[in-house]
Each structure stands twice: as C-alpha cells, then as structure tokens.
Amino acid sequence: MAKEIKSTSLNQKAWRRLKRNKSAMLGLVVIVLAFLLSVFAYVVSPDNSPSGNEQVLQLETHPPGFGIKILKKKRESGQSSNIIDGMVNGFIKNYEPIPVLDYKLEGDSVSYTEYKGRNFKTEQKKISVLELSGGKADFVTAECFKEEFITSRHFLLGTDKFGRDILSRLLIGVRVSLSVGIISVAISLFIGIFLGALAGYFRGWVDEVIMWVINVFWSIPTLLLAMGLYIGAGSLIENKLVMIFIAVGLTMWVETARIVRGQFLSLREMEYVAAAQSLGFSNARIIFKHILPNILGPIIVVACSNFASAILVESGLSYIGLGIQPPAPSWGSMLNEYKDFIDTSKAYLALFPGVAIMLLVLAFNLVGNGLRDALDVKGQLD
C-alpha cells in the first residue's frame, strides 16, 4: 500500500519559518499582550475610573511601590457603571478617596489620621458613619466598615503630579495607540492599494499622475503633514480621536502605494494575467481576484511597518499637544507632561511612557521583519 504523502501549503511553511524566528515570536507575544490589555484595560488597571483619572492630590509624585490606605467617603448622588459600560468607558466611582495612615471606629463615628502629603503634617479628623456613607447608614460593625469603606492602594509605578496611578494610565493608554494604529493602517491600506494597483496595472498617464501625487506626499515630512491635516480639518471634525485616525492614515498610504505599484508592474506581465485578459475578464476582476491575492505578503509586511509608524506619529502629535486631549491618557502626552522631570530623581515619570512606546514599536518592527523573511521563498528549503 502506497504511503500517503501530506502536502504543506505555502501559508503553513511561512508560519513554520516565522515560528523559528525567536525575535519575531517575542514581538508577536508583546503585540498579543498589548491587544488583550487594551480590551481589558479597565478590568486589570488598579485605577479603573474613566481615563484612570482618579486624582488624589495628597499623593502627587510619590515613588514606585508606594502604598497607603484609602478611606472611601460615599457621595450622596453617586452613580455606578454596569459591567459593559465600565469595560468600555471606565467605572464611575461613587466615593471621594481620602488617604489615611490609620483609623478607628468609635460607635457611630470614625476617627482617622489624614495623610496630607510628604511635605505636610498629618491631620486628625473625625466623621460620622452617617456622613461617610452618604446618609445611608448610621452604624456599622468594624468588619463591615473595613470591607465597605477602607481599601489599600499600591502604586507599582508611582503617581503623577495629580496623584493619579501611572500604571493605570499606561494600561489605558494602550487603547489609544492600538486604535490609532488599526484604523489609520486600514485607511492607508485602502488608499495605497487602490492607487498603487491603478498605477501599476494601467501604467501610462495614470501611472504618471499617481506617481506625481505620491512624490508630493513623499516630499513632506510625515509628522509635519499629519500636523497640517490635523489643524486644517480640525474645524470640520469635532472628535479629536477621529481626526487623528484620518490625519495619521493619510500620511502613510504612500509607502503602501509604491510597493503595490512595483508588484503590479511585475505581475501584470505574468502568463496567468495574459490568460485572464484573453478570456475577456474585466480589469477589476484581474486586479482584485488574480493579482492582488498574490501580493498579500508584501502588503502584510508594510502594514506592520505602518502600524509602528502610526504609533510614533500619534505619540508625536500628542507630545506637541495636538493629539488626545486631557484627561484621556496617551503615551505621547504623558511623555510631554513629564519631560521636565527627566534630569531629576523623578525621571521615571517620563521614562515609563517612553519605554512603553519603544517596546510596542519594536514589537511591530520585529514581527514585520520576521514576516518579510518568512514570506520570502527565495533561498528557503521549506
């Protein structure tokens, strides 16, 4: 009986080669982790309030690892968030946080030592349980009091000048970077593939006009072009995040168009294209069903590169104040906010967002390089 021979597809071979690339797999792990964190940011963040913007001014610029007890003073008209809304927009806190060093329950009131900051003396205060609970309870047991009104906070990466948790704002900021990357890359791929395919397939005056447009965009620095588009169209679009998507996407299509054009110039001379033309297939069918599927490899590689570029451009826009507006966290705006601390003992305030940008950009570049090697069949044995 003849032994069955299993065939391996080109995609399986490419995946096998990619798995052997340790740096590319490390980058892929970082990207997957970043996507998971972006989805569950408000679940895993120590401060899961909207935008991680719970401000406790007494805790401003405290070092990494700092911990303290928080007394929760309920608000009378406190609102709460459901699970779905909380995962998307953050959980609305229905209490006012008060940092305390110690506390003591005395019948229907609580005595506590309020922490006022490193450079201020502590203050002894007393508050009734009725006031603390927002008028809902006049007496609670010691065990229930600790569970409902006391929580411990540990700031693993320290706090900023408003007393906000840096780790939480970094985790929530992942959403901004990845959302800008996904949508702006989608915009750049749509424009770049369309114009590149037209230029490479039809050639002639179509190619000349499109190449002229490409050269014009290519001559303008990416960040400067994004700034111009952001400022020029800012009055037409109120949502600044959408404006960033459009501005970044319209600055990155040039590289995609050049690569697609080059691939089309080469593949349009292949025999299967001539056969399709002789059968009377339309140009649209030949472009999108016959040629385009054969250049997906280079397109995927350039998409990874554009993703890294989009993160850098968004960070640059936020750094100069044209990106995501406060209090929403963005790595670029955090870097700008704390750049003056870089030569002080609090340099970590600027270091953490800078390292986050570097790691995510490096991860996409590593995956892009790994895909380029895996999809290049020249010289490959398997």
Side-chain angles (χ1 to χ4, degrees):
M1 182 176 180
K3 186 178 181 180
E4 182 180 357
I5 300 176
K6 294 183 179 180
S7 61
T8 305
S9 68
L10 294 178
N11 290 335
Q12 290 175 327
K13 292 180 179 179
W15 172 242
R16 185 188 305 164
R17 289 192 290 268
L18 182 64
K19 288 195 296 184
R20 290 202 296 261
N21 190 325
K22 295 182 180 179
S23 60
M25 294 306 296
L26 177 61
L28 187 60
V29 170
V30 172
I31 293 171
V32 171
L33 180 61
F35 272 99
L36 291 176
L37 287 176
S38 69
V39 174
F40 300 102
Y42 284 111
V43 176
V44 300
S45 296
D47 175 15
N48 57 7
S49 61
S51 299
N53 193 44
E54 185 179 68
Q55 300 183 16
V56 186
L57 298 181
Q58 301 96 311
L59 305 181
E60 53 92 18
T61 60
H62 279 62
F66 174 77
I68 197 168
K69 293 184 178 68
I70 297 293
L71 179 64
K72 298 185 291 186
K73 182 181 178 181
K74 304 290 184 178
R75 297 188 177 98
E76 293 184 5
S77 59
Q79 298 178 347
S80 58
S81 304
N82 57 50
I83 297 298
I84 302 299
D85 184 59
M87 290 183 63
V88 176
N89 301 311
F91 295 87
I92 299 175
K93 300 298 179 66
N94 61 351
Y95 63 85
E96 175 189 346
I98 303 174
V100 298
L101 297 178
D102 56 59
Y103 66 93
K104 185 178 181 181
L105 183 63
E106 300 174 344
D108 60 351
S109 62
V110 181
S111 299
Y112 61 92
T113 304
E114 183 176 0
Y115 179 73
K116 307 294 287 187
R118 288 173 299 182
N119 301 323
F120 300 91
K121 293 183 178 180
T122 59
E123 185 176 350
Q124 295 291 333
K125 290 187 176 181
K126 193 172 185 178
I127 186 173
S128 67
V129 174
L130 184 64
E131 182 181 357
L132 189 64
S133 62
K136 296 181 179 179
D138 54 5
F139 179 79
V140 292
T141 64
E143 183 178 352
C144 292
F145 177 83
K146 183 178 181 181
E147 180 179 349
E148 185 172 355
F149 296 101
I150 297 294
T151 183
S152 296
R153 294 281 177 83
H154 295 278
F155 303 93
L156 297 180
L157 298 184
T159 59
D160 64 9
K161 62 183 180 181
F162 297 107
R164 299 175 297 193
D165 181 42
I166 293 178
L167 175 60
S168 299
R169 290 181 64 79
L170 283 176
L171 292 176
I172 298 171
V174 175
R175 286 188 171 188
V176 175
S177 296
L178 292 182
S179 61
V180 170
I182 291 172
I183 298 180
S184 60
V185 166
I187 294 173
S188 68
L189 288 178
F190 177 79
I191 298 175
I193 291 174
F194 180 73
L195 294 182
L198 292 181
Y201 183 79
F202 291 105
R203 299 188 295 187
W205 67 268
V206 176
D207 185 25
E208 293 178 1
V209 171
I210 293 176
M211 284 306 299
W212 180 85
V213 175
I214 289 176
N215 290 331
V216 170
F217 274 83
W218 192 263
S219 64
I220 305 174
T222 301
L223 188 58
L224 184 61
L225 179 59
M227 288 172 55
L229 291 170
Y230 183 90
I231 296 172
S235 59
L236 302 176
I237 302 176
E238 295 183 2
N239 192 314
K240 297 302 180 183
L241 187 58
V242 174
M243 189 64 251
I244 292 175
F245 293 156
I246 297 173
V248 176
L250 292 178
T251 61
M252 297 190 306
W253 64 270
V254 177
E255 181 69 23
T256 305
R258 292 177 68 250
I259 291 177
V260 171
R261 171 184 176 271
Q263 294 291 323
F264 265 76
L265 287 174
S266 174
L267 294 181
R268 74 181 304 276
E269 306 298 333
M270 301 294 290
E271 290 82 357
Y272 68 86
V273 175
Q277 291 173 339
S278 65
L279 291 174
F281 292 159
S282 65
N283 291 326
R285 175 169 179 171
I286 296 173
I287 290 174
F288 294 106
K289 286 192 175 182
H290 295 272
I291 300 180
L292 190 58
N294 287 290
I295 64 170
L296 289 181
I299 290 176
I300 293 174
V301 174
V302 77
C304 288
S305 176
N306 283 350
F307 214 115
S309 299
I311 294 172
L312 288 176
V313 172
E314 183 278 324
S315 299
L317 288 173
S318 297
Y319 182 83
I320 60 179
L322 295 178
I324 303 300
Q325 299 302 308
S330 168
W331 292 346
S333 60
M334 293 175 68
L335 192 60
N336 174 54
E337 191 173 357
Y338 305 117
K339 63 180 184 298
D340 296 332
F341 291 92
I342 199 66
D343 57 349
T344 68
S345 60
K346 299 181 178 65
Y348 60 87
L349 291 171
L351 184 63
F352 289 141
V355 170
I357 294 171
M358 181 198 70
L359 288 177
L360 196 54
V361 170
L362 178 61
F364 276 102
N365 283 329
L366 289 176
V367 172
N369 292 338
L371 286 172
R372 180 196 61 202
D373 296 337
L375 295 172
D376 182 13
V377 297
K378 296 180 180 179
Q380 300 283 355
L381 297 177
D382 58 351

